[in-house]
C-alpha cells in the first residue's frame, strides 16, 4: 500500500508514473515538524532497525549510523567523510520493528540523519515546505522495493552490445589513439565492444562537434569499427561553449533555451570549453531542442552516449571568481598572514568550484514559473538525460541507444543508466562499488557500473584484475581512467592472459547476465540483491555486505583487498562453487552452508550457484554480436530439478514484451540420470551438472 502526503505545492519532478491521490491525515511513523522554510521528519528507531536505500552513496548497504545528503555533487575524491555523490536518490527502507519505505519527492537537498546525531533517531530534513512524501508498506522488505519500483516505472534497457566489455580513457585524442586501443584488444584477443570518446574528440570541447583534424572521416571510422564489432561512444557535456558561429550556442541564445541569471541574461559559467551557457533542461522546449542535437552524431552511425558534468559541475563563474579575488586581495594586504587567513586562502580557492552561491545565481523557466536553480538542483542531470532519451524515441523509435549519465534523480532511470562518477584507483572504491549496487537497483537504476580500475590516481595490475572480476557482473562493464594517470587498458599489463580470460568469462556469461537483467527490468526486480533480500530468514545474512546475489542463480564474493589470496565467504545454504581460470578451465566443489575460507588467486574468478539452479553459458566471443547463443551450456547444481527462464531477443529493437523472447530450460535428475528439456527446439544444449 502506498500513501502520498503532499506538503505545500511541490514541483512536479515526474519521478513517479502512477497517480496516487494525496491524503490529508498525518503520516504514520513520523513526527513531522514544520520550520520556517523546511520540514523535519523524525522516526524513533529500535536498537536493531536497519536503514537501506539512498541509491548512489558512500559507506555501507545498511545506512544506519551516518548522515547522508541528496545533493548531486561533483566530487572526484570522495571518501567516507562525504555525504553526497553524483546522484540524489531519496528512497529509504526502514527495516525492523516496523518495515516501510519512504520516498521524498523534492528536487533540492534532503538530509538523512540515520542515527548520526542521535543514534536512535532517523531525522530527515527536507529543505523546502513543498514536497511529496510517499510511505510504502507491503508484506515484506522485498515487496516494498517492488512496489516502489512499480511506482517509478520500468527501468531503462540498453542494447545488448552494451553488456560487452568497454574501454574508455580521458585522453584518446584522434583516430590513431582509438585504433591503438582497438589493436591492443583485437591483437591480444581480449574481447571488446566499445571504445569511448572523451572530450578530446570534439572541436574545442563543443558538444556535437568532431575535431575534423583528428578524425578525417569520422563516419567511416565509426563504420569500420562497427564491422569489427566495436562501437564508438562519445561524451556529451552539459555546458555549451560560448562561441560566435557555433550553431548550438547561437540557436540556444536566439530561442532563450539557456538558463538565465538574475537580470534575465544568459547565465555564464566555466567548464572544459571555458565559458559556457547551460541549456535549461527543465524547460520542455529547450529539452526537445537539445535532444534533437544528438542526431548529428546518430547520423554518423553512433549508437551510444554518456552525458557528463550534469550536476551541473561548475569550475567557476565570473562573479564567483571576482568575489574570491576580492577576498584574496584583502588577505594580501596583511603584512603577516595569520593562521586563519592562511587556511582562508586555501578555502577560498577550493570553494570556487561547484559553490552553493553559484547554484543560486541562475534560473530555470518552467511554464510561466521562474525557478532558482538551487531549488531544483537535483533535476538537472535527470532532465539532460531525459532530453536525449525522449529524442531517441522520436529519432530512432525502434532502436535501443546506449545512454547513461553522471548526475541523476529517481525518474531518470527510465531514460538511461548511470556510471558512478569519478572514483579513484583505491581498493576502498572497489568495495564501495560492490556495496552501492543493490541500493541503486532499489531506486530503479539497473544499468550501472563504476570506472573499473579507478578514474583518478595510478592503478595497479592486481587492482584492475580484481575490479574486473567484480565488473564481470555489473551491467555496465567499463574501464575508464583520467588524463595523466597510469594507462590501465587490459593489454598494458604483464599478465595479459589473465585479462583475456577474465573478460572472456564475462562473454561466456552474457546469456545469463542478459536474461537476469531483462527479468529485473521487465518485472521490477532486483538484478543485484543483498543476501538479506535473498535469505530473509537467515539472521546472519543481514550483516553480510561484501557478497551479493546476481540474478536468481548466482552468489558472488569478490576479493577487494590487495595481496589477498582468497577470502572468507558465508554460504546461506549449500552451493556449488565454480572457480574459473578461463571459460574452459574450471573447478567445481559442492560446499556446505556456513563459513568457509576460499582461495581465490589473482587470475581466478569464483562464483557460487544455488541448489536446483543452473546458469546458461555461451562459448564466448570477442564481441557480443559474435556470440552464438543457440549453442549453450547449462552449468549448475541440480539435486532433482532446475528450471531456468532464458531471455533472448535481437538485442536492439524494443519488442521486449514478446513472449517469443522467452524459453524454459529444465534439467531433471532422476536415479542419477540427467536430462534436459528445452521449450525452444533450435537451442543446442550441453550439460555440466553437479
Ligand atoms: C569528468 C568525468 C570523467 C571524464 C572527465 C573529462 O570528470 O566524470 O569521466 O573523463 O570529466 O571529460
Amino acid at each position: 500500500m502506498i500513501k502520498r502526503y503532499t506538503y505545500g505545492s511541490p514541483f512536479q519532478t515526474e519521478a513517479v508514473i502512477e497517480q496516487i491521490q494525496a491524503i490529508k491525515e498525518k503520516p504514520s511513523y513520523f513526527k513531522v515538524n514544520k520550520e520556517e522554510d523546511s520540514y523535519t521528519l523524525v522516526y524513533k528507531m529500535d536498537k536493531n532497525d536497519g536503514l537501506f536505500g539512498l541509491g548512489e552513496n558512500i559507506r555501507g548497504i545498511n545506512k544506519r549510523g551516518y548522515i547522508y545528503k541528496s545533493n548531486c555533487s561533483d566530487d572526484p575524491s570522495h571518501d567516507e567523510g562525504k555525504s553526497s555523490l553524483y546522484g540524489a536518490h531519496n528512497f529509504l527502507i526502514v527495516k525492523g520493528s516496523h518495515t516501510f519505505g519512504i520516498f521524498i519527492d523534492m528536487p533540492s537537498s534532503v538530509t538523512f540523519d540515520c542515527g548520526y546525531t542521535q543514534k536512535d533517531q532517523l531525522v530527515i530534513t527536507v529543505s523546502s515546505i513543498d514536497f511529496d512524501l510517499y510511505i510504502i508498506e507491503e508484506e515484506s522488505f522485498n515487496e516494498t522495493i517492488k512496489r516502489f519500483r512499480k511506482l517509478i516505472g520500468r527501468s531503462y534497457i540498453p542494447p545488448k552490445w552494451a553488456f560487452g566489455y568497454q574501454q574508455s580513457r580521458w585522453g584518446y585524442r584522434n583516430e590513431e589513439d582509438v585504433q591503438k586501443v582497438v589493436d591492443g584488444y583485437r591483437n591480444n584477443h581480449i574481447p571488446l565492444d566499445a571504445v569511448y570518446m572523451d572530450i578530446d574528440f570534439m572541436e574545442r570541447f563543443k558538444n556535437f562537434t568532431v575535431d575534423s583534424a583528428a578524425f578525417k572521416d569520422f563516419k567511416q571510422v565509426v563504420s569500420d569499427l562497427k564491422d569489427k564489432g566495436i562501437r564508438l561512444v562519445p561524451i556529451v557535456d552539459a555546458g555549451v561553449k560560448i562561441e560566435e558561429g557555433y550553431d548550438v550556442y547561437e540557436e540556444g541564445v536566439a530561442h532563450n533555451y539557456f538558463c538565465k541569471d538574475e537580470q534575465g541574461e544568459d547565465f555564464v559559467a566555466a567548464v572544459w570549453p571555458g565559458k559556457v551557457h547551460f541549456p535549461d533542461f527543465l524547460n520542455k522546449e529547450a529539452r526537445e531542442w537539445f535532444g534533437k542535437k544528438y542526431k548529428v552524431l546518430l547520423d554518423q552511425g553512433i549508437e551510444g552516449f554518456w552525458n557528463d558534468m550534469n550536476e551541473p559541475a561548475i569550475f567557476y563563474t565570473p562573479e564567483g571568481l571576482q568575489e574570491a579575488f576580492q577576498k584574496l586581495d584583502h588577505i594580501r594586504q596583511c603584512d603577516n598572514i595569520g593562521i586563519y587567513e592562511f587556511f582562508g586562502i586555501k578555502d577560498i580557492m577550493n570553494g570556487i568550484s561547484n559553490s552553493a552561491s553559484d547554484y543560486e545565481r541562475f534560473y530555470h523557466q518552467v511554464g510561466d514559473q521562474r525557478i532558482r536553480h538551487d531549488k531544483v538542483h537535483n533535476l538537472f542531470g535527470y532532465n539532460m538525460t531525459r532530453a536525449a532519451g525522449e529524442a531517441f524515441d522520436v529519432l530512432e523509435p525502434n532502436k535501443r541507444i546506449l545512454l547513461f549519465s553522471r548526475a541523476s534523480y529517481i525518474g531518470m532511470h527510465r531514460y538511461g543508466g548511470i556510471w558512478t562518477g569519478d572514483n579513484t584507483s583505491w581498493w576502498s572504491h572497489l568495495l564501495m562499488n560492490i556495496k552501492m549496487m543493490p541500493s541503486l537497483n532499489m531506486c530503479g537504476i539497473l544499468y550501472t557500473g563504476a570506472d573499473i580500475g579507478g578514474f583518478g590516481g595510478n592503478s595497479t595490475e592486481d587492482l584492475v584484475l580484481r575490479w574486473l572480476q567484480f565488473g564481470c557482473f555489473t551491467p555496465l562493464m567499463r574501464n575508464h581512467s583520467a588524463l595523466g594517470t597510469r594507462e590501465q587498458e587490459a593489454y598494458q599489463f604483464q599478465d595479459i592472459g589473465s585479462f583475456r580470460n577474465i573478460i572472456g568469462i564475462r562473454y561466456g556469461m552474457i546469456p545469463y547476465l542478459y536474461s537476469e537483467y531483462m527479468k529485473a527490468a521487465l518485472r521490477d526486480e532486483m538484478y543485484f540483491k543483498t543476501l538479506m533480500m535473498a535469505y530473509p530468514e537467515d539472521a546472519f545474512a543481514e550483516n553480510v555486505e561484501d557478497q551479493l546475489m546476481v540474478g536468481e542463480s548466482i552468489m558472488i564474493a569478490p576479493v577487494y583487498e590487495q595481496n589477498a589470496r582468497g577470502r572468507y565467504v558465508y554460504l546461506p545454504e549449500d552451493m556449488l562453487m565454480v572457480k574459473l581460470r578461463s571459460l574452459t578451465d574450471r573447478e567445481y566443489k559442492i560446499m556446505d552452508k556456513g563459513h568457509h575460507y576460499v582461495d581465490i588467486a589473482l587470475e581466478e574468478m569464483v562464483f557460487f550457484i544455488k541448489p536446483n539452479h543452473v546458469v546458461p553459458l555461451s562459448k564466448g566471443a570477442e564481441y557480443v554480436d559474435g556470440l552464438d547463443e543457440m549453442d549453450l551450456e547449462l552449468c549448475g547444481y541440480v539435486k532433482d530439478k532446475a528450471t531456468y527462464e532464458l531471455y533472448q531477443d535481437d538485442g536492439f529493437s524494443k519488442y521486449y514484451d514478446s513472449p517469443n523472447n522467452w524459453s524454459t530450460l529444465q534439467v531433471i535428475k532422476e536415479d542419477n540420470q540427467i536430462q534436459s528439456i528445452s521449450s525452444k527446439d533450435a537451442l543446442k544444449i550441453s550439460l555440466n551438472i553437479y
Side-chain angles (χ1 to χ4, degrees):
M1 184 183 43
I2 300 193
K3 287 189 179 162
R4 172 182 170 195
Y5 307 88
T6 297
Y7 296 84
S9 19
F11 184 87
Q12 293 310 300
T13 66
E14 294 175 63
V16 308
I17 56 155
E18 265 181 81
Q19 271 306 323
I20 310 271
Q21 201 57 43
I23 49 175
K24 288 275 179 287
E25 70 200 42
K26 285 194 174 148
S28 26
Y29 304 121
F30 289 95
K31 213 171 120 226
V32 179
N33 306 311
K34 184 170 188 243
E35 316 286 336
E36 200 182 320
D37 47 14
S38 65
Y39 270 90
T40 55
L41 313 175
V42 182
Y43 177 69
K44 175 113 175 56
M45 294 188 283
D46 267 2
K47 191 160 177 274
N48 292 322
D49 284 357
L51 301 172
F52 300 90
L54 298 185
E56 184 179 20
N57 224 313
I58 51 148
R59 296 206 176 206
I61 295 179
N62 184 347
K63 295 285 177 225
R64 187 158 178 175
Y66 196 59
I67 185 162
Y68 303 88
K69 194 168 180 179
S70 282
N71 180 40
C72 296
S73 312
D74 167 27
D75 187 349
S77 51
H78 48 268
D79 54 24
E80 273 191 54
K82 298 295 163 73
S83 291
S84 310
L85 292 180
Y86 297 87
H89 308 131
N90 303 335
F91 176 57
L92 187 71
I93 300 186
V94 177
K95 180 176 181 296
S97 47
H98 300 285
T99 295
F100 58 92
I102 168 162
F103 174 49
I104 312 279
D105 192 7
M106 203 286 286
S108 187
S109 87
V110 181
T111 305
F112 295 85
D113 182 336
C114 299
Y116 166 80
T117 306
Q118 240 175 280
K119 72 175 196 272
D120 61 348
Q121 277 192 1
L122 164 67
V123 182
I124 302 174
T125 306
V126 187
S127 68
S128 169
I129 51 170
D130 302 304
F131 64 99
D132 273 309
L133 162 67
Y134 293 86
I135 294 189
I136 306 163
E137 282 176 285
E138 294 292 330
E139 295 267 283
S140 64
F141 184 87
N142 292 343
E143 287 300 314
T144 310
I145 302 175
K146 199 164 172 164
R147 185 66 192 90
F148 177 65
R149 293 275 303 280
K150 192 161 170 280
L151 176 72
I152 59 173
R154 182 185 279 180
S155 302
Y156 163 77
I157 297 172
K160 191 167 180 184
W161 60 263
F163 287 81
Y165 174 70
Q166 316 185 36
Q167 182 63 57
S168 183
R169 179 171 169 86
W170 171 13
Y172 301 152
R173 285 158 307 154
N174 50 34
E175 221 169 304
E176 291 70 43
D177 287 348
V178 171
Q179 197 53 48
K180 226 158 87 193
V181 178
V182 170
D183 292 346
Y185 278 91
R186 287 291 182 258
N187 294 346
N188 286 296
H189 300 290
I190 308 170
L192 180 73
D193 263 87
V195 177
Y196 280 67
M197 298 197 305
D198 207 316
I199 46 175
D200 312 275
F201 85 97
M202 297 182 223
E203 193 187 279
R204 295 189 293 287
F205 305 129
K206 289 186 295 184
N207 280 325
F208 310 114
T209 65
V210 178
D211 181 350
S212 55
F215 291 87
K216 302 257 159 13
D217 186 346
F218 185 65
K219 199 169 180 177
Q220 193 60 46
V221 176
V222 174
S223 144
D224 290 348
L225 287 179
K226 205 171 153 191
D227 290 343
K228 294 187 181 152
I230 292 173
R231 263 81 174 184
L232 275 187
V233 183
I235 197 168
V236 180
D237 276 347
V240 171
K241 184 173 172 61
I242 299 177
E243 188 182 279
E244 295 299 321
Y246 170 38
D247 58 341
V248 186
Y249 160 74
E250 293 197 335
E251 286 169 28
V253 171
H255 295 94
N256 280 320
Y257 289 146
F258 294 129
C259 292
K260 302 286 182 192
D261 65 16
E262 195 159 14
Q263 286 74 41
E265 301 295 324
D266 291 331
F267 171 72
V268 179
V271 211
W272 303 120
K275 288 187 182 163
V276 299
H277 292 319
F278 289 131
D280 186 355
F281 294 118
L282 275 72
N283 174 294
K284 192 164 178 290
E285 287 78 46
R287 206 160 55 226
E288 276 171 13
W289 161 74
F290 194 82
K292 285 196 192 119
K293 293 286 155 209
Y294 287 77
K295 184 169 187 303
V296 174
L297 292 164
L298 290 173
D299 287 348
Q300 312 273 319
I302 293 296
E303 295 171 281
F305 299 88
W306 49 314
N307 282 349
D308 191 20
M309 303 294 278
N310 50 8
E311 295 70 33
I314 296 180
F315 292 169
Y316 69 86
T317 59
E319 295 89 336
L321 205 56
Q322 213 40 49
E323 285 169 13
F325 287 152
Q326 273 162 14
K327 286 185 201 154
L328 288 177
D329 262 353
H330 183 70
I331 298 175
R332 216 167 38 174
Q333 311 305 322
C334 306
D335 217 16
N336 182 1
I337 296 178
I339 185 79
Y340 296 115
E341 284 77 19
F342 170 70
F343 284 112
I345 297 174
K346 288 185 160 186
D347 289 345
I348 291 165
M349 296 315 290
N350 286 336
I352 291 175
S353 298
N354 306 319
S355 86
S357 40
D358 282 341
Y359 292 131
E360 292 173 7
R361 291 189 218 271
F362 64 102
Y363 294 80
H364 300 273
Q365 191 67 41
V366 184
D368 49 18
Q369 243 188 314
R370 187 172 109 122
I371 304 169
R372 204 173 70 188
H373 175 78
D374 59 309
K375 308 282 179 207
V376 286
H377 174 70
N378 292 334
L379 297 182
F380 194 79
Y382 162 16
N383 280 285
M384 176 183 181
T385 301
R386 179 177 172 185
E390 286 179 342
F392 298 156
D393 283 344
V394 178
L395 298 169
E396 294 283 3
N398 203 26
K399 182 172 168 189
R400 292 178 236 169
I401 302 292
L402 170 64
L403 177 63
F404 59 88
S405 172
R406 194 169 74 172
S408 59
Y409 182 81
I410 290 172
M412 199 203 81
H413 70 287
R414 300 192 296 271
Y415 302 97
I418 67 162
W419 95 101
T420 56
D422 296 348
N423 57 8
T424 304
S425 298
W426 292 336
W427 292 87
S428 61
H429 275 188
L430 165 55
L431 178 59
M432 184 167 72
N433 180 194
I434 297 166
K435 292 189 182 191
M436 215 187 273
M437 293 294 114
S439 320
L440 281 169
N441 284 190
M442 285 172 74
C443 299
I445 298 159
L446 297 182
Y447 190 75
T448 182
D451 286 348
I452 291 175
F455 174 71
N458 293 327
S459 205
T460 57
E461 175 161 358
D462 54 353
L463 178 59
V464 183
L465 264 180
R466 289 299 193 195
W467 211 321
L468 284 170
Q469 289 165 8
F470 172 63
C472 270
F473 296 98
T474 58
L476 166 63
M477 186 190 186
R478 185 181 77 143
N479 176 334
H480 180 50
S481 57
L483 189 69
T485 60
R486 180 179 184 181
E487 292 174 310
Q488 61 186 42
E489 293 84 2
Y491 54 83
Q492 303 283 5
F493 298 103
Q494 243 175 328
D495 186 9
I496 292 185
S498 293
F499 285 88
R500 179 186 308 123
N501 289 337
I502 301 293
I503 297 170
I505 292 167
R506 160 72 167 216
Y507 282 73
M509 296 191 77
I510 281 180
Y512 176 75
L513 300 176
Y514 188 61
S515 294
E516 295 306 310
Y517 186 93
M518 294 307 285
K519 286 174 202 172
L522 299 176
R523 300 173 181 169
D524 299 327
E525 291 283 357
M526 300 281 287
Y527 172 89
F528 279 118
K529 288 195 193 80
T530 62
L531 263 54
M532 175 190 81
M533 295 171 191
Y535 298 91
E537 305 301 325
D538 184 325
F540 190 82
E542 182 154 342
N543 295 315
V544 179
E545 294 216 344
D546 60 355
Q547 299 176 205
L548 297 175
M549 309 302 298
V550 184
E552 63 180 52
S553 306
I554 286 181
M555 183 184 82
I556 57 169
V559 174
Y560 50 84
E561 282 175 336
Q562 188 154 34
N563 300 320
R565 295 187 187 147
R567 53 162 290 171
Y568 284 97
V569 178
Y570 174 64
L571 299 192
E573 60 184 325
D574 59 320
M575 289 185 178
L576 175 72
M577 178 179 78
V578 185
K579 188 182 270 192
L580 305 98
R581 281 169 286 272
S582 73
L583 255 183
T584 45
D585 181 2
R586 308 182 214 160
E587 250 175 69
Y588 300 89
K589 188 176 170 194
I590 293 172
M591 293 171 75
D592 291 337
K593 171 181 162 75
H595 298 270
H596 301 263
Y597 185 85
V598 180
D599 293 317
I600 310 172
L602 193 55
E603 58 281 355
E604 290 174 339
M605 204 171 117
V606 163
F607 61 83
F608 302 84
I609 304 183
K610 283 162 62 98
N612 283 337
H613 280 78
V614 290
V615 174
L617 297 174
S618 78
K619 298 211 160 34
E622 289 196 17
Y623 52 97
V624 170
D625 292 343
L627 290 170
D628 177 0
E629 295 210 33
M630 297 313 280
D631 182 5
L632 296 179
E633 169 197 330
L634 287 181
C635 170
Y637 178 23
V638 181
K639 291 180 166 177
D640 43 50
K641 184 169 148 190
T643 305
Y644 189 77
E645 286 177 280
L646 179 74
Y647 179 95
Q648 292 174 312
D649 62 13
D650 61 16
F652 63 87
S653 69
K654 294 184 181 172
Y655 302 115
Y656 320 116
D657 296 306
S658 160
N660 297 334
N661 297 340
W662 296 96
S663 10
T664 307
L665 311 177
Q666 273 191 341
V667 177
I668 297 163
K669 204 177 201 177
E670 239 171 10
D671 306 327
N672 271 337
Q673 297 278 329
I674 299 173
Q675 76 174 104
S676 72
I677 307 167
S678 155
S679 66
K680 196 183 266 176
D681 289 340
L683 279 177
K684 186 173 146 218
I685 292 189
S686 61
L687 295 178
N688 198 348
I689 301 298
Y690 288 81

